Amino acid sequence: MTLTQHVRNGWYLGAWSDEIGRTLTQRWITDIPVCFYRLPDQTVTAVEDRCPHRKYPLSLGHLDDEGTLQCDYHGYRFDGQGVCVGVAEQADRPKAALRRFPLVERDGAIWIWPGDPELADESLLPDTSWLTDAGWTHVHGVVPLKARHMLLLENLLDLTHETFLHPTTIGNAAVAATPIDVTVDGDRVSFSRHMIGIEAPPFYEKSCGLTSPVDRWQDGDFYPPGIFILNIRVAATGTEEPEGFHMKVLYGLTPGRGNETHDFYALGRDYLIDDQELTKFQHEQQLAVMQEDVDALEAQEIMYATDPGGKAESSIKSDLAALRGRRAVAKMLAREQREQHEQGEQSKQQGARIPRSRTASV
């Protein structure tokens, strides 16, 4: 049995709801090709994007008005449950079915569980109700990243890099100078950085109309293996909560094919929600910040991919959340691989107990 190099028994952001319609859409997730589409009742479904006949991508086929998916290589046809209902233009009806993945569509996001469907637990998903809350507005999208998803994870769990990578937008010296508090609850890793009486970074001056000094909070939660939510509060120094400007940033860190990652994002705010110019500005700034991260992470990926190893990494106190996040994913992967190995051994033992049929001697 091949052991996965990505955690698969967990939720990943597979697509935004507005990405998926009646057009067949391929997206690689944890090295698995997935075909997303909607059935006539608008229910979203996702199947492995390999026809069981000769592995042709089903996303290159077509979907009829009744929701039947046809492989356009040899005509295998599958109903909404993934069961083969025949082969076009032929009398054959082979016993074949597609692998379907557990999905949850909620708050405009489509979450996928690429592992054991028996273990898919919807309660493990974090609260994302702000994505559809009338008191919030948000923008969202996905950015391709040619780097392994663990590099993106550590980037998000160690925001001290804002001081150095994003000095013209969201970063300044106060981020790197302020220590963080880190907690671990089961698999979840959380951190908190509250910067008090600091200079307002350019992004917050322009989007909140604030002048220095300000109080800036960063409270982040990582839900392994691939969900990160950052809660932000910015206010004039001394302003008591709940007053102030609140933002949330959701990242879906979804491994794609090889060392590529789908970098899903959503940026929301609870103030001036009808200001379209502000929304446009914040979206442009979000994409600019993400591009700076992409450039850094893709350069970092080359260094990791070509490193012969043997030298220990250097770490400091601000790395604590990132190291805890790395450990959480490693534990989940080890647990999953151990379970796969045990299942494989059980299958071997069961196979060995099946008596072989005797061949009559002549």
Side-chain angles (χ1 to χ4, degrees):
M1 178 178 293
T2 301
L3 300 179
T4 66
Q5 295 306 306
H6 298 296
V7 174
R8 288 181 175 159
N9 287 331
W11 293 108
Y12 291 100
L13 216 169
W16 294 111
S17 292
D18 55 16
E19 290 186 282
I20 306 302
R22 298 282 290 152
T23 300
L24 302 174
T25 302
Q26 185 195 72
R27 180 161 280 155
W28 286 76
I29 295 177
T30 65
D31 284 319
I32 302 171
V34 178
C35 178
F36 291 90
Y37 59 97
R38 290 189 185 275
L39 297 172
D41 64 359
Q42 292 305 303
T43 301
V44 67
T45 190
V47 297
E48 187 166 352
D49 196 19
R50 291 187 177 98
C51 180
H53 177 230
R54 292 296 182 269
K55 312 300 182 185
Y56 192 72
L58 293 163
S59 56
L60 298 180
H62 71 269
L63 193 64
D64 69 17
D65 292 340
E66 285 72 43
T68 302
L69 172 62
Q70 177 173 297
C71 176
D72 279 357
Y73 191 28
H74 295 98
Y76 270 56
R77 307 181 78 238
F78 303 91
D79 66 14
Q81 299 303 309
V83 177
C84 182
V85 293
V87 182
E89 312 301 334
Q90 300 180 52
D92 294 302
R93 186 171 181 176
K95 291 183 178 180
L98 304 176
R99 177 186 177 188
R100 298 175 69 228
F101 299 95
L103 299 178
V104 173
E105 184 168 18
R106 179 193 297 172
D107 302 321
I110 298 170
W111 303 96
I112 184 170
W113 183 285
D116 184 348
E118 296 296 322
L119 300 179
D121 182 356
E122 187 174 340
S123 70
L124 297 176
L125 284 168
D127 177 19
T128 56
S129 58
W130 54 277
L131 290 170
T132 51
D133 189 326
W136 287 72
T137 189
H138 84 278
V139 294
H140 65 259
V142 58
V143 172
L145 173 63
K146 294 182 178 179
R148 64 197 70 187
H149 102 292
M150 287 302 298
L151 294 181
L152 176 58
L153 169 60
E154 295 187 11
N155 170 276
L156 295 170
L157 287 177
D158 183 7
L159 295 181
T160 57
H161 76 271
E162 290 182 353
T163 298
F164 311 102
L165 279 187
H166 313 304
T168 63
T169 51
I170 59 174
N172 60 16
V175 184
T178 306
I180 59 173
D181 294 320
V182 180
T183 59
V184 177
D185 182 6
D187 289 330
R188 187 178 69 185
V189 178
S190 303
F191 71 83
S192 177
R193 174 186 275 115
H194 288 189
M195 296 162 274
I196 307 301
I198 67 168
E199 180 183 354
F203 172 81
Y204 297 106
E205 282 187 336
K206 295 176 182 177
S207 65
C208 303
L210 290 170
T211 56
S212 303
V214 300
D215 296 341
R216 179 186 179 190
W217 298 357
Q218 295 175 328
D219 298 311
D221 295 291
F222 170 52
Y223 301 83
I227 307 170
F228 176 77
I229 297 177
L230 181 66
N231 296 283
I232 301 166
R233 176 183 180 267
V234 183
T237 293
T239 303
E240 296 293 329
E241 180 69 358
E243 298 300 318
F245 301 88
H246 300 89
M247 283 170 272
K248 292 179 182 286
V249 189
L250 165 69
Y251 282 94
L253 301 71
T254 304
R257 183 179 179 185
N259 282 341
E260 296 181 354
T261 302
H262 308 293
D263 189 358
F264 291 93
Y265 69 90
L267 170 66
R269 69 176 188 273
D270 70 349
Y271 59 95
L272 299 176
I273 61 175
D274 296 321
D275 189 332
Q276 295 300 314
E277 287 300 314
L278 177 56
T279 298
K280 180 181 177 182
F281 168 75
Q282 289 191 334
H283 200 182
E284 290 173 348
Q285 291 284 285
Q286 173 71 15
L287 291 173
V289 168
M290 291 183 71
Q291 187 58 54
E292 290 172 337
D293 284 331
V294 166
D295 292 343
L297 295 173
E298 291 184 350
Q300 193 180 3
E301 172 62 37
I302 294 172
M303 295 299 105
Y304 269 92
T306 58
D307 184 4
K311 293 183 179 179
E313 290 181 320
S314 173
S315 296
I316 54 179
K317 289 181 179 179
S318 61
D319 293 312
L320 183 58
L323 293 174
R324 293 290 184 269
R326 183 190 292 185
R327 182 182 300 176
V329 173
K331 287 173 62 177
M332 292 182 74
L333 181 58
R335 184 168 64 233
E336 189 169 314
Q337 291 180 339
R338 183 171 60 252
E339 291 170 351
Q340 289 181 348
H341 178 75
E342 291 172 353
Q343 290 172 3
E345 290 300 311
Q346 290 175 1
S347 296
K348 289 180 182 179
Q349 293 174 6
Q350 291 173 357
R353 287 196 294 268
I354 298 175
R356 297 181 180 178
S357 59
R358 296 181 179 178
T359 303
S361 57
V362 179

